[in-house]
Amino acid sequence: MSLFRLDASIRPDHSASRALADIVETTWRAEVPSGEVVRRDVGLHPLPSGAWPLAVAASRMPEAERSTDQRDAVALATRLSDEVIDADALLFAVPLYNFGVSQHFKTWVDLAITNPRLATGGPQPLAGKPAVVVLVRGGAYGPGTPRDGWDHASGWIRRILEDVWATDLRVVEAEFTLVGVNPALDPFKELAASMRATAEERAADYGRELSLVRTP
Ligand SMILES: Cc1cc2nc3c(=O)[nH]c(=O)nc-3n(C[C@H](O)[C@H](O)[C@H](O)COP(=O)(O)O)c2cc1C
């Protein structure tokens, strides 16, 4: 049994998304001691941003006419797709950056979607596959907050994972991760701690749920 894990945080340490994904992975691991974790760390090891246009161009021409760079880009997209298609369960940990989606996660999605198996309207080999996405935000964006509507990442990420790829998605969310870092957010210490505790509980529950998948 295998778990694919993608991290998009640009921080190796003190990362809220990595800490929550660690809880998912640890609880999954406790149930599946011999399972394999396949890691793709696009935050610390970004994919080349130039690969996407090469793969798109290659997809519109006969194989024999492709340049070496185009072939390499297609091979990379195939490898990325294989990693999720071959896994029994999926885990994504993606922070909010500049009110939008992490560019590294976007590059990964864009490349994977060039593979015909994961293309929009394609055969959906990830349909029903159990998945967890950990979404963290430094501030807060709920209804009634001053920045309600400013989070332009979460909706898009869910659209891709739930609708384009049809995974069986669970969402772990933690807001106010900058409390304790940005003094202006000090009044929200209690709220942040409670959001964090809820997120940690969900992460553990969902890690166990991912382990319930059995390969045929
Ligand atoms: C360059 C940069 C831009 C950020 N932009 C936002 C933002 O627009 N909104 C927000 O709520 N938090 C923002 N943050 C805060 C991160 O979402 C927050 O620190 C989160 O916990 C980062 O994930 P990590 O802890 O896993 O590294 C930003 C952080 C960085 C480093």
Side-chain angles (χ1 to χ4, degrees):
M1 194 156 161
S2 64
L3 174 70
F4 169 81
R5 171 172 172 174
L6 178 148
D7 285 281
S9 169
I10 57 175
R11 298 194 291 177
D13 303 311
H14 312 294
S15 155
S17 60
R18 289 177 191 278
L20 288 166
D22 283 347
I23 293 174
V24 177
E25 180 182 329
T26 304
T27 48
W28 176 86
R29 163 72 63 210
E31 305 293 327
V32 192
S34 59
E36 180 198 7
V37 180
V38 175
R39 296 177 200 283
R40 178 60 67 176
D41 195 327
V42 296
L44 299 184
H45 306 285
L47 297 163
S49 58
W52 176 62
L54 289 164
V56 171
S59 69
R60 290 165 187 185
M61 63 170 67
E63 268 188 60
E65 290 175 22
R66 293 175 184 169
S67 68
T68 304
D69 284 349
Q70 286 170 336
R71 284 170 200 277
D72 288 348
V74 170
L76 176 58
T78 305
R79 196 156 64 245
L80 300 178
S81 310
D82 285 345
E83 287 174 358
V84 280
I85 292 169
D86 293 346
D88 296 303
L90 309 172
L91 169 60
F92 305 91
V94 189
L96 179 68
Y97 289 134
N98 298 322
F99 310 109
V101 70
S102 135
Q103 62 163 300
H104 301 317
F105 183 67
K106 179 76 165 45
T107 299
W108 178 84
V109 170
D110 284 344
L111 263 173
I113 278 185
T114 65
N115 187 274
R117 295 170 298 171
L118 295 182
T120 305
Q124 291 192 319
L126 305 183
K129 191 166 288 207
V132 173
V133 64
V134 174
L135 300 172
V136 299
R137 303 183 272 275
Y141 298 83
T145 60
R147 289 199 166 154
D148 181 4
W150 284 50
D151 169 7
H152 297 283
S154 307
W156 179 84
I157 292 169
R158 292 187 66 154
R159 182 68 72 196
I160 296 294
L161 299 177
E162 281 182 309
D163 299 319
V164 176
W165 289 341
T167 68
D168 177 13
L169 190 67
R170 295 139 182 86
V171 182
V172 176
E173 287 181 289
E175 296 200 310
F176 273 145
T177 62
L178 286 177
V179 168
V181 180
N182 177 354
L185 297 178
D186 279 355
F188 301 106
K189 269 186 183 159
E190 265 183 40
L191 182 56
S194 129
M195 284 175 163
R196 177 70 181 242
T198 303
E200 288 176 354
E201 265 175 45
R202 293 230 164 101
D205 288 347
Y206 294 161
R208 270 186 292 275
E209 284 183 26
L210 291 190
S211 75
L212 299 176
V213 203
R214 293 278 170 246
T215 42

